[in-house]
């Protein structure tokens, strides 16, 4: 609408400057906020809803920067105490605004004429555009954060802004609400009046911020002081010395800095009318409990997001371990890393030191300390960790790995040294037949664990069996321990078959044996075996290795109770033994049937034991016991069984036969039966040769390749560390639980490629693992934070979850998968509303200050919370005037507004820092 | 099946499959039908048996190592170790013997949970001996319901008449081929970067196909 004044020959630099400003303002004004975003307006990092676009201007030789701040989501009437407000918005009650400032070191306008000239230039430019944006110029010293500003409001009104700060001792008068009230009133009362008699109605709202006392705020001096105070009360003193995470699961390995440095509590008093300074003074006596609204903000350690401070915890140690893996590929034997004079190509470059023998000794003692083996109780162990191929937490190898993580930053030389000593110790246990600590000798080997753990499990079994061999008298009478053990195992086996019953023990009696004699002849199978029925005593003497009578099963030929034999355990096998068998099987893969020697040996052993326990048994008896499906009974045998037990005249013999497949094709079975001698399991050659297997295991441990050890250490360490973190109590934070589960999945799938036999690209592998450490570090930090929040706000679960969720959302973008840690310029600033019933919990975070604390502080501002004064007090005063009378009716704006805020003052401060911002609307 | 002299691997993937189920349901017969297309009465398996078959399914050359276990309880402790690393588990029952079906949920399904080391391993329910339709005691619907509840594939077949035997192994292998996490470990020398893949869904149960 207004043509640009382009005649630069006659325009002064001043006019050209105004025109330049006007040009930009017009552009921004026309574009609208949405388009400005497209044109590169940037979001202010710390505010979610504040954007800024800027331009450079030149006036003479001076350069200026003009910035336009605006909000996208138009909440014009923002909440007065909105946390998202820019400081200028808060100070002056504006929404969008311009700032113009010189481009200089200080960034402020130092001399007064220049600043007012600058401001009027902007004001003229803005009124030319018909815009009513307020404009500000920073003035004075930068430390004063002072601004002057102006805003055109329609044609008749102008608002002027002014703010300043006192950075040193604040006059006592201004420390108190009464004085501040008078300061505000003095800005619009025409003459200096006696405040005690004249009352002015002023609206005021207040926001106070309190901070919980730092735990480590007390220096040594004050601790001494406390110590002296509470003499005799040692517990309290200990309490101070205790680390915050002493009872957290990771505390056994390291102590973490508390990620929560404290809390800030913000209490807000709503806008209220005050009639005089006395009322204001009374407000000072109110406690924060009288405030309308409470907000809580956790002060979270910079370590959470600042990676430059240094890594900590498991993640950093795991990362060292990965580095050790990288180096481990360079040598063939672990010994190479230990010997100092070795001049291997790259090894000599390693400057890492070998831990002194005393340290190694101490750590070995800790590892081999006979502790409670916790890993067998699978209560806490989630299914998740089973899929990570490592040793379970609490087992010997896991202990070895965890201890190593914290030994000299787990360099390869320290690992090699400790491993060699570790194996030496294991061998000692083997030679001396001492049970391995932290290893259970349960008969099955968990193939989901790493090979070293499987081998140690196997060795534990071998040591146990070896002891039995040594201590067992050759007569076959078992030592007490072993017989208990075997019967136990057998019991479980039998119970699963549901056959064993003690009630049938007395059924073997002579009268029935006579009946049985007749029965024998009618049986289809004609393999007379044994003569026990003639002489019961002889049978019982011959019987060996019985685990008890099988409920209601009678031998076909002799009509004696069938005895279930004590059988040998199936020999345990580690995964490499399985693989060996697989290869062997594959070699015979084309043969029609592969039934390995081992299975035959087991079957033969069972048959021998069965024969020994039932001297009169025939092949069919064995099948009835071992493979009931292959015995086809003509009648319902179960029924007749009951008859046997209940009545002395049983329906005997049961008519039946072997199944077709067993009868016609089971020659192999019968062949094995025929060649198996009757020997009780205790006298048989063991299926597992403990001496031979034990020596093989030690050979494996002693010749383990460095990278093989490191791979297994990595899997075990990740698994153990994850399991430790997973034990952390953090209440019901679902997000955290989900993240931990996700971590397990990631660990399992990444580490799988490590275990796979093909060694992939080493660089890529190490890269993947390093990244895994980064991922682990994120989860670790979050878990520690979750634990800290949970325990601090234990009694306010809703609040603790909400706060964690806020931080989690804030942190989430950081957890990108990139190896480079993201530079994070955002600041966490989300506060949570405290509900009324949670106030007591929050208040308990503010213990009454100790005598020394209150002695040191000058309590000056009032509104104490258990003796703590606010760290920050903010007040907004405002007065309104009805200006819509006839004389201003020309302005539509005002007519609709009715009351207009004529004076507004924002005061923010403490006893030695006070900022005041004033805005005055005037009509002249 | 002779190893080829060329340097490239003779197969794309090696899959380990495991057959479980009560004694006498026909596991060995199914396997024999699949590997050599014949049917004969077999003696009860002692412990564990093992067969290799090269097949081409879904355009991939596959080497299947199929472990056939004995159903007798005595061998069950021995069997547990064969679950390790299996990409597919075939649960077999006899449609004419109800107890072999109920034992799947009472015994065998629990064994899988206990011993399987492979999170995503594919399970398949197979009802054998459908040729004896008159003696049938387990209906097809019951089989489907169980498969749906346990999240596995389901087929009825007969080793004797060949019905559905090929399909049974083929379906299973196709499903394994669709599961990325199973492919990584079964692959012959292929290396995948997991960070370039999507993380596996937390608890996506394998869908049933009935």
């Amino acid at each position: 609408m207004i043509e640009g004044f382009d005649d630069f020959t006659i325009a002064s630099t001043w006019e050209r400057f105004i025109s330049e400003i006007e040009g930009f303002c017009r552009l921004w004004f026309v574009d609208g906020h949405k388009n400005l975003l497209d044109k590169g307006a940037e979001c202010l990092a710390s505010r979610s809803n504040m954007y800024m676009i800027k331009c450079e201007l030149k006036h003479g030789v001076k350069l200026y920067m003009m910035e336009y701040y605006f909000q996208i989501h138009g909440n014009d009437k923002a909440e007065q105490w909105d946390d998202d407000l820019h400081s200028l918005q808060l100070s002056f009650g504006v929404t969008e605004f311009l700032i113009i400032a010189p481009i200089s070191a200080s960034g402020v306008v130092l001399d007064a004429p220049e600043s007012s000239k600058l401001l009027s230039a902007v004001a003229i430019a803005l009124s030319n555009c018909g815009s009513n944006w307020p404009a500000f110029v920073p003035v004075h010293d930068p430390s004063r954060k002072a601004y002057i500003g102006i805003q055109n409001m329609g044609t008749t009104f102008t608002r002027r802004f002014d703010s300043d700060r006192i950075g040193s001792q604040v006059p006592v008068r201004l420390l108190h609400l009464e004085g501040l009230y008078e300061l505000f009133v003095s800005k619009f009362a025409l003459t200096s009046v006696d405040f005690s008699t004249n009352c002015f109605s002023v609206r005021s709202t207040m926001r106070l911020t309190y901070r919980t006392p730092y735990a480590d705020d007390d220096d040594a001096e004050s601790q001494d002081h406390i110590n002296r105070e509470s003499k005799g009360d040692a517990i309290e003193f200990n309490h101070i010395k205790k680390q915050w995470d002493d009872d957290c699961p990771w505390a056994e390995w390291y102590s973490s800095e508390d990620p929560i440095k404290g809390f800030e509590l913000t209490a807000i008093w709503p806008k209220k009318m005050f009639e005089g300074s006395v009322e204001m003074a009374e407000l000072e006596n109110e406690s924060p409990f009288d405030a309308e609204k409470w907000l809580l903000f956790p002060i979270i350690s910079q370590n959470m997001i600042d990676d430059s401070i240094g890594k900590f915890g498991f993640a950093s140690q795991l990362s060292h371990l990965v580095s050790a893996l990288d180096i481990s590929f360079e040598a063939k034997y672990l010994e190479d890393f230990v010997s100092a004079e070795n001049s291997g190509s790259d090894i000599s470059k390693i400057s890492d030191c070998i831990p002194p023998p005393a340290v190694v000794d101490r750590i070995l003692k800790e590892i081999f300390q006979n502790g409670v083996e916790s890993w067998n109780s699978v209560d806490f162990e989630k299914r998740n960790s089973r899929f990570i191929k490592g040793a379970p937490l609490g087992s010997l190898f896991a202990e070895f790995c965890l201890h190593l993580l914290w030994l000299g930053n787990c360099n390869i030389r320290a690992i090699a040294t400790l491993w060699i000593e570790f194996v030496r110790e294991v061998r000692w246990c083997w030679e001396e037949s001492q049970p391995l600590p932290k290893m259970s000798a349960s008969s099955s080997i968990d193939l989901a664990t790493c090979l070293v753990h499987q081998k140690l499990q196997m060795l534990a079994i071998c040591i146990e069996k070896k002891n039995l061999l040594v201590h067992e008298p050759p007569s076959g009478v078992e030592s007490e321990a072993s017989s208990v053990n075997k019967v136990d195992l057998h019991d479980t086996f039998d119970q699963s078959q549901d056959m064993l019953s003690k009630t049938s023990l007395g059924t073997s009696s002579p009268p029935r044996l006579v009946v049985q004699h007749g029965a024998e002849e009618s049986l289809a199978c004609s393999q007379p075996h044994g003569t026990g029925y003639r002489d019961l005593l002889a049978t019982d003497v011959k019987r060996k290795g019985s685990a008890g009578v099988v409920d209601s099963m009678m031998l076909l030929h002799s009509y004696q109770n069938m005895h279930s034999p004590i059988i040998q355990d199936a020999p345990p096998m580690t995964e490499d033994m399985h693989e060996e068998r697989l290869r062997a099987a594959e070699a015979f893969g084309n043969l029609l049937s592969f039934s390995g020697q081992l299975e035959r040996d087991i079957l033969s052993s069972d048959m021998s034991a069965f024969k020994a326990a039932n001297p009169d048994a025939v092949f069919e008896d064995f099948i009835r016991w071992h493979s009931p499906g292959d015995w086809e009974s003509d009648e319902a045998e179960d029924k007749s069984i009951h008859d046997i037990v209940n009545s002395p005249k049983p329906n005997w013999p049961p008519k039946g036969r072997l199944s077709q497949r067993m009868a016609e094709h089971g020659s192999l079975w019968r062949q094995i039966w025929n060649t198996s001698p009757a020997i009780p399991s205790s006298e048989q050659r063991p299926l597992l040769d403990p001496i031979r297997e034990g020596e093989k295991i030690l050979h494996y441990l002693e010749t383990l390749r460095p990278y093989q050890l490191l791979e297994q250490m990595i899997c075990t360490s990740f698994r153990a560390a994850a399991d430790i973190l997973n034990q952390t109590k953090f209440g019901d934070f679902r997000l955290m639980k989900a993240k931990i589960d996700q971590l397990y999945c990631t660990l399992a799938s990444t580490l799988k490629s490590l275990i796979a036999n093909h060694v992939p690209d080493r660089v890529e592998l190490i890269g993947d693992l390093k990244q895994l450490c980064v991922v682990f570090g994120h989860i670790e930090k979050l878990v520690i934070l979750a634990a800290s929040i949970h325990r601090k706000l234990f009694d306010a679960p809703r609040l603790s979850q909400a706060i964690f969720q806020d931080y989690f959302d804030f942190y989430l973008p950081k957890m990108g998968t990139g190896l480079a840690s993201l530079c994070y310029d955002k600041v966490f600033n989300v506060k949570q509303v405290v509900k009324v019933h949670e106030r007591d919990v929050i208040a308990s975070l503010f213990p009454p200050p100790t005598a020394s604390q209150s002695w040191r502080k000058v309590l000056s501002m009032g509104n104490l919370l258990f003796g703590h004064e606010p760290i920050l007090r903010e007040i907004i005063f405002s007065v309104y005037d009805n200006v819509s009378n006839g004389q201003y009716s020309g302005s539509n704006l005002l007519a609709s507004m009715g009351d207009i805020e004529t004076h507004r003052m924002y005061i923010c401060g403490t006893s030695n820092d006070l900022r005041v911002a004033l805005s005055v609307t005037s009509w002249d | 099946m002779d190893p080829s002299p060329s340097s490239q691997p003779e197969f794309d993937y090696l899959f380990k499959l495991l057959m479980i189920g009560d004694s006498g349901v026909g596991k060995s017969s199914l396997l024999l039908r699949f590997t050599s297309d014949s049917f004969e009465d077999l003696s009860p398996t002692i412990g564990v048996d093992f067969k290799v078959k090269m097949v081409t399914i879904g355009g991939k050359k596959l080497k299947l190592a199929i472990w056939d276990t004995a159903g007798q309880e005595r061998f069950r402790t021995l069997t547990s170790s064969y679950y390790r690393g299996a990409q597919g588990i075939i649960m077999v029952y006899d449609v004419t013997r109800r107890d072999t079906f109920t034992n799947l949920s009472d015994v065998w399904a629990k064994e899988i949970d206990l011993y399987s080391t492979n999170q995503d391993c594919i399970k398949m329910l197979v009802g054998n001996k459908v040729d004896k339709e008159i003696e049938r005691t387990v209906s097809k619907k019951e089989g489907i319901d169980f498969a749906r509840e346990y999240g596995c594939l389901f087929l009825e077949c007969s080793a004797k008449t060949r019905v559905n035997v090929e399909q049974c192994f083929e379906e299973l292998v196709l499903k394994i081929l669709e599961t990325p996490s199973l492919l990584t470990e079964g692959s012959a020398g292929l290396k995948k970067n997991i960070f370039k893949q999507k993380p596996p869904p937390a608890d996506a149960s394998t869908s049933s196909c009935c």
Side-chain angles (χ1 to χ4, degrees):
Chain A
M1 60 182 187
I2 300 168
E3 286 300 310
F5 185 69
D6 291 338
D7 190 354
F8 295 121
T9 54
I10 49 168
S12 67
T13 55
W14 163 246
E15 282 165 321
R16 266 184 275 162
F17 183 53
I18 293 174
S19 139
E20 205 179 343
I21 295 173
E22 192 187 325
F24 278 111
C25 291
R26 203 176 281 281
L27 208 62
W28 291 340
F29 195 62
V30 169
D31 270 340
H33 297 159
K34 293 264 162 18
N35 290 335
L36 285 179
L37 282 189
D38 298 336
K39 290 190 176 175
E42 42 191 286
C43 179
L44 264 69
S46 55
R47 317 276 159 204
S48 58
N49 187 24
M50 188 94 230
Y51 298 84
M52 186 263 281
I53 194 157
K54 58 188 174 186
C55 65
E56 274 184 32
L57 301 162
K58 202 171 175 189
H59 178 221
V61 292
K62 279 193 160 173
L63 281 173
Y64 292 94
M65 176 73 81
M66 186 163 72
E67 297 164 333
Y68 171 48
Y69 291 81
F70 59 96
Q71 294 178 342
I72 286 294
H73 317 292
N75 51 338
D76 290 334
K77 205 67 192 160
E79 178 76 29
Q80 214 142 16
W81 294 118
D82 196 334
D83 288 309
D84 225 17
L85 290 178
H86 188 273
S87 68
L88 285 178
Q89 291 178 311
L90 184 62
S91 300
F92 299 112
V94 295
T95 45
E96 49 187 356
F97 55 90
L98 285 173
I99 294 179
I100 186 158
I103 299 179
S104 65
S106 67
V108 297
V109 184
L110 293 171
D111 80 290
E114 188 193 354
S115 61
S116 52
K117 197 176 161 192
L118 201 56
L119 202 58
S120 44
V122 180
I124 293 166
L126 284 172
S127 80
N128 284 348
C129 315
S131 156
N132 54 8
W133 294 338
F136 297 97
V137 174
V139 290
H140 304 313
D141 188 65
S143 69
R144 283 164 71 176
K145 293 174 183 162
Y147 284 91
I148 57 169
I150 193 161
Q151 180 181 18
N152 297 314
M153 299 180 80
T155 46
T156 40
F157 292 98
T158 310
R159 239 167 133 192
R160 289 176 196 283
F161 307 102
D162 198 353
S163 72
D164 208 343
R165 169 173 176 261
I166 306 172
S168 59
Q169 188 61 47
V170 175
V172 177
R173 197 173 67 88
L174 296 181
L175 279 181
H176 294 284
L177 294 175
E178 196 178 350
L180 295 171
Y181 168 81
E182 288 167 3
L183 174 70
F184 178 60
V185 169
S186 72
K187 296 295 175 186
F188 61 87
L190 292 174
T191 53
S192 65
V193 288
D194 182 3
F195 292 110
S196 54
T197 54
N198 284 285
C199 290
F200 298 92
S201 292
V202 167
R203 282 172 224 219
S204 169
T205 165
M206 178 164 74
R207 173 164 78 174
L208 299 181
T209 305
Y210 299 84
R211 179 174 286 168
T212 53
Y214 282 125
D216 51 359
D217 202 20
D218 297 320
D219 45 23
E221 182 201 345
S222 73
Q223 268 196 20
D224 283 351
H225 187 72
I226 291 164
N227 192 22
R228 261 181 274 120
E229 264 192 353
S230 60
K231 224 168 217 168
D233 193 0
I235 303 151
E236 196 183 332
F237 183 57
N238 284 343
H239 183 73
I240 291 160
K241 296 283 268 186
K242 235 169 97 174
Q243 300 289 336
W244 77 278
D245 58 354
D246 257 3
D247 53 348
C248 289
W250 62 81
E252 192 189 343
W253 304 104
Y254 70 96
S255 177
S256 157
E257 174 208 41
D258 191 342
I260 298 198
K261 295 284 156 205
F263 288 96
E264 274 183 13
L265 172 66
T266 306
I268 294 175
W269 277 260
K271 204 173 245 186
K272 198 181 150 193
M273 193 71 91
F274 289 89
E275 299 285 349
S277 50
V278 181
E279 278 184 29
M280 283 310 294
E282 279 168 8
L283 178 62
E284 212 165 272
N285 292 326
E286 288 190 2
S287 104
F289 280 93
D290 300 317
E292 180 197 46
K293 196 173 174 188
W294 278 24
L295 296 164
L296 193 66
F297 171 71
I299 305 162
I300 290 174
S301 162
Q302 200 52 29
N303 287 5
M304 281 296 291
I305 50 164
D306 194 346
D307 296 319
S308 65
I309 291 173
K311 294 172 180 167
F312 73 104
F314 286 118
S316 80
Q317 302 310 110
L318 287 167
S319 161
H320 291 308
L321 190 60
V322 172
S323 308
L325 169 70
D326 196 15
I327 299 170
S328 74
F329 287 103
E330 278 159 21
K332 227 173 167 182
Y333 303 107
L334 280 154
E335 283 77 1
D336 296 347
F337 292 109
V338 178
S339 50
E341 65 271 30
N342 190 302
S343 54
S345 54
D346 286 320
I347 301 160
S348 55
K349 287 183 210 148
I350 303 164
S351 57
D352 298 322
C353 59
I354 294 174
V359 174
V360 174
D361 273 2
R362 179 178 56 78
I363 290 177
L364 269 184
K365 275 208 188 83
E366 278 174 35
I367 295 174
F368 280 86
Q369 199 175 41
N370 227 335
V372 189
E373 50 167 279
S374 53
W375 60 274
N376 238 10
S377 59
V378 284
D379 307 341
F380 74 86
E381 212 189 355
K382 292 184 107 185
R383 258 184 74 84
N384 279 333
S385 67
R386 249 169 57 83
F387 295 105
I388 302 170
K389 208 168 159 48
L393 185 61
S395 67
L396 189 58
F397 187 58
E399 286 290 297
F400 169 81
C401 292
L402 284 172
H403 275 94
L404 250 182
L405 281 182
W406 307 95
L407 173 64
N409 273 344
C410 67
N411 68 69
I412 185 73
R413 307 188 71 185
I415 293 170
T417 310
L418 196 66
W419 174 254
I420 289 164
E421 292 304 318
F422 177 82
V423 175
R424 210 166 276 169
E425 197 69 25
V426 170
R427 182 174 269 290
W428 181 86
C429 290
W430 165 247
E431 307 285 358
E432 300 293 318
S433 297
Q434 294 295 315
L436 285 179
K438 292 161 189 167
M439 296 300 296
S440 84
S442 77
S443 60
S444 68
I445 286 175
D446 187 354
L447 298 174
T449 60
C450 64
L451 189 53
V452 168
H453 180 72
Q454 292 179 33
K455 293 279 185 190
L456 289 173
Q457 259 187 306
M458 182 86 156
L459 188 64
I461 295 167
C462 289
I463 290 173
E464 198 189 57
K465 297 247 192 251
K466 188 172 118 180
N467 283 347
L468 291 182
L469 284 184
V470 173
H471 299 303
E472 210 169 273
S475 66
V477 179
E478 288 156 1
S479 71
E480 200 184 333
S482 76
S483 86
V484 164
N485 186 20
K486 282 193 179 176
V487 169
D488 271 358
L489 288 166
H490 200 85
D491 269 352
T492 48
F493 176 59
D494 263 345
Q495 274 156 14
S496 73
Q497 288 191 327
D498 230 355
M499 286 192 216
L500 188 73
S501 163
K502 264 90 188 172
T503 56
S504 62
L505 274 169
T507 51
S508 163
S509 53
R512 259 177 248 162
L513 286 172
V514 179
V515 179
Q516 189 190 348
H517 178 54
E520 190 185 23
E521 266 133 43
S522 66
L523 279 172
C525 181
S526 58
Q527 199 184 25
H529 193 283
T531 52
Y533 62 95
R534 280 183 205 138
D535 188 348
L536 180 66
L537 264 172
T539 305
D540 274 349
V541 167
K542 272 161 72 188
R543 188 188 310 285
K544 275 179 175 174
S546 162
V549 171
V550 179
D551 182 22
S552 60
M553 290 269 276
M554 310 298 278
L555 297 183
L556 292 172
H557 278 204
S558 57
Y559 192 51
Q560 288 182 20
N561 284 299
M562 184 187 286
H563 283 248
S564 159
I566 294 170
I567 49 175
Q568 288 201 48
D569 296 331
M573 287 197 292
T574 53
E575 70 180 38
D576 53 340
M577 294 163 81
H578 281 287
E579 273 155 24
E580 212 171 286
R581 274 165 51 76
L582 178 79
R583 276 193 296 275
E586 226 177 321
F588 296 106
N590 288 334
L591 297 179
L592 194 64
S593 169
F594 155 83
S595 256
Q597 189 60 40
L598 181 71
E599 279 85 10
R600 270 188 223 207
D601 289 349
I602 294 170
L603 187 60
S604 168
S605 155
D606 286 358
M607 285 173 169
S608 291
F610 188 81
K611 280 183 176 175
N614 302 284
D616 303 320
V618 293
F619 178 62
E620 284 75 6
D621 289 321
F622 177 77
I623 295 301
R624 285 166 66 216
W625 171 73
H626 180 94
S627 181
D630 285 306
W631 175 255
E632 289 168 2
S633 178
D634 286 347
E635 43 210 293
E637 203 176 346
D638 290 317
K639 219 176 169 190
S640 65
I641 282 158
H642 280 285
D643 293 344
I644 292 173
V645 176
N646 296 331
S647 76
K649 262 198 134 330
N651 184 12
W652 192 262
K655 293 232 166 35
R657 70 193 75 79
L658 289 176
S659 68
Q660 193 191 8
R661 62 172 188 162
M662 187 61 86
E664 290 173 16
H665 306 276
S667 56
L668 187 57
W669 287 66
R670 197 177 283 279
Q671 186 192 327
I672 296 172
W673 171 261
N674 289 338
T675 53
S676 300
I679 307 173
S681 62
S682 57
E683 290 166 30
Q684 288 172 11
R685 198 172 71 89
L687 289 168
L688 171 83
D689 180 350
I691 308 287
R692 188 165 155 267
E693 293 302 329
E695 282 300 338
K696 271 164 75 181
I697 288 161
L698 280 158
H699 176 78
Y700 167 83
L701 296 177
E702 282 161 357
T703 57
L704 192 61
R705 291 290 162 86
Y707 75 90
Q708 287 174 325
L709 173 64
L710 264 294
E711 281 173 356
Q712 299 187 49
M713 282 182 71
I714 281 176
C715 290
T716 300
S717 302
F718 269 110
R719 172 173 166 163
D723 280 344
I724 287 173
L725 290 186
N726 197 19
Q727 290 170 34
T728 308
K729 292 189 179 69
F730 49 73
D732 194 25
F733 296 177
R734 280 189 306 105
L735 289 168
M736 194 69 248
K737 283 187 183 127
K739 268 285 164 220
I740 290 178
D741 287 349
Q742 210 178 321
L743 173 70
Y744 274 116
C745 285
T746 313
L747 289 177
S749 55
T750 311
L751 296 175
K752 209 177 250 175
S753 68
L754 179 61
I755 290 300
N757 279 331
H758 49 267
V759 174
D761 182 9
R762 183 170 138 193
V763 177
E764 196 182 331
L765 173 74
I766 299 297
D768 283 359
L769 290 174
K770 286 277 183 186
Q771 184 164 353
L772 203 57
C773 295
V774 173
V775 172
F776 195 95
H778 289 314
I779 306 293
E780 187 171 20
K781 280 180 178 179
L782 284 174
V783 165
I784 293 171
L785 177 75
S788 180
I789 293 179
H790 175 63
R791 59 178 52 204
K792 288 189 176 62
L793 299 175
F794 188 79
D795 295 319
R798 182 207 66 88
L799 195 59
S800 64
Q801 277 174 42
I803 288 177
F804 181 74
Q805 164 113 40
D806 287 340
Y807 196 82
F808 185 86
D809 292 342
F810 163 78
Y811 193 86
L812 207 55
K814 193 179 152 61
M815 298 178 63
T817 49
L819 188 56
S821 53
L822 288 171
C823 161
Y824 222 55
D825 55 352
K826 279 199 174 160
V827 177
F828 179 68
N829 60 355
V830 184
K831 296 177 181 174
Q832 269 296 332
V833 176
V834 179
K835 299 205 169 153
V836 176
H837 66 271
E838 292 161 340
R839 286 193 177 188
D840 285 333
V841 179
I842 304 308
S844 68
L845 294 171
F846 294 84
T850 57
S852 67
Q853 284 167 333
S854 40
W855 172 78
R856 276 192 293 172
K857 282 177 184 159
V858 183
L859 300 175
S860 47
M861 299 203 313
N863 298 113
L864 298 183
L865 172 58
F866 297 139
H868 298 273
E869 71 170 358
I871 55 157
L872 187 68
R873 176 169 62 197
E874 293 160 283
I875 306 167
I876 297 172
F877 289 112
S878 52
V879 282
Y880 290 80
D881 199 356
N882 193 322
V883 289
S884 65
N885 45 29
Q887 98 191 73
Y888 303 114
S889 57
S891 162
N892 288 335
L893 180 72
L894 292 177
S896 62
M897 275 172 71
D899 275 6
I900 188 165
E901 191 181 60
T902 56
H903 290 74
R904 181 186 190 276
M905 185 183 267
Y906 167 79
I907 303 156
C908 160
T910 60
S911 55
N912 48 21
D913 180 5
L914 191 76
R915 276 193 292 142
V916 179
L918 179 69
S919 55
V920 179
T921 310
S922 58
W923 50 92
D924 20 39
Chain B
M1 223 179 283
D2 294 327
S4 65
S6 66
S7 59
Q8 69 175 42
E10 52 193 304
F11 53 88
D12 297 320
Y13 295 106
L14 166 67
F15 291 143
K16 177 177 169 185
L17 310 180
L18 180 69
M19 303 180 74
I20 55 172
D22 275 6
S23 162
V25 295
K27 297 181 291 295
S28 304
S29 299
L30 272 178
L31 184 54
L32 185 67
R33 171 60 82 187
F34 178 63
T35 51
S36 48
D37 196 19
S38 60
F39 180 79
E40 54 189 275
D41 262 336
L42 297 167
S43 88
T45 309
I46 300 174
V48 132
D49 208 345
F50 169 86
K51 292 241 174 356
V52 173
K53 184 165 166 102
M54 304 292 291
V55 288
T56 302
I57 295 176
K60 295 268 188 293
K61 272 196 271 180
L62 307 173
K63 178 173 177 179
L64 304 181
I66 309 166
W67 291 85
D68 172 24
T69 63
Q72 281 85 7
E73 297 182 44
R74 168 63 180 125
F75 285 114
R76 214 166 278 164
T77 46
L78 190 67
T79 310
S80 68
S81 52
Y82 292 96
Y83 287 86
R84 189 181 84 88
Q87 282 99 349
I89 297 177
I90 304 175
M91 297 182 280
V92 188
Y93 67 95
D94 178 347
V95 294
T96 68
R97 281 168 57 204
R98 185 150 199 96
D99 55 322
T100 65
F101 179 69
T102 51
N103 269 346
L104 285 180
S105 55
D106 295 347
V107 177
W108 295 104
K110 284 179 191 130
E111 299 239 318
I112 296 179
D113 286 344
L114 210 57
Y115 299 124
S116 172
T117 61
N118 221 330
Q119 257 168 319
D120 305 315
C121 106
I122 310 292
K123 287 158 287 191
M124 173 167 234
L125 179 67
V126 173
N128 192 23
K129 305 193 186 173
V130 287
D131 49 294
K132 299 182 183 171
E133 189 59 43
I134 314 143
E135 294 171 48
R136 182 195 272 273
T137 58
V138 184
S139 73
K140 187 166 184 178
K141 172 146 193 322
E142 285 172 292
I144 290 172
D145 288 345
F146 177 80
R148 183 171 293 138
E149 187 198 322
Y150 201 60
C152 50
L153 306 170
F154 174 68
L155 258 182
E156 285 190 341
C157 66
S158 162
K160 193 170 183 178
T161 62
R162 267 184 83 178
V163 168
N164 272 349
V165 175
E166 286 272 326
Q167 286 88 324
C168 156
F169 288 92
E170 214 172 285
E171 292 268 5
L172 180 62
V173 167
L174 281 173
K175 196 81 193 171
I176 294 172
L177 284 169
E178 286 170 18
T179 312
S181 65
L182 297 176
L183 291 184
T184 34
E185 60 190 69
S187 68
L190 273 150
K191 166 79 171 82
K192 295 234 169 70
N193 187 342
I194 66 111
F195 291 109
K196 286 163 196 154
Q197 294 173 3
K198 284 225 152 197
D203 58 347
S205 54
T206 43
S207 62
S208 71
C209 98
C210 323

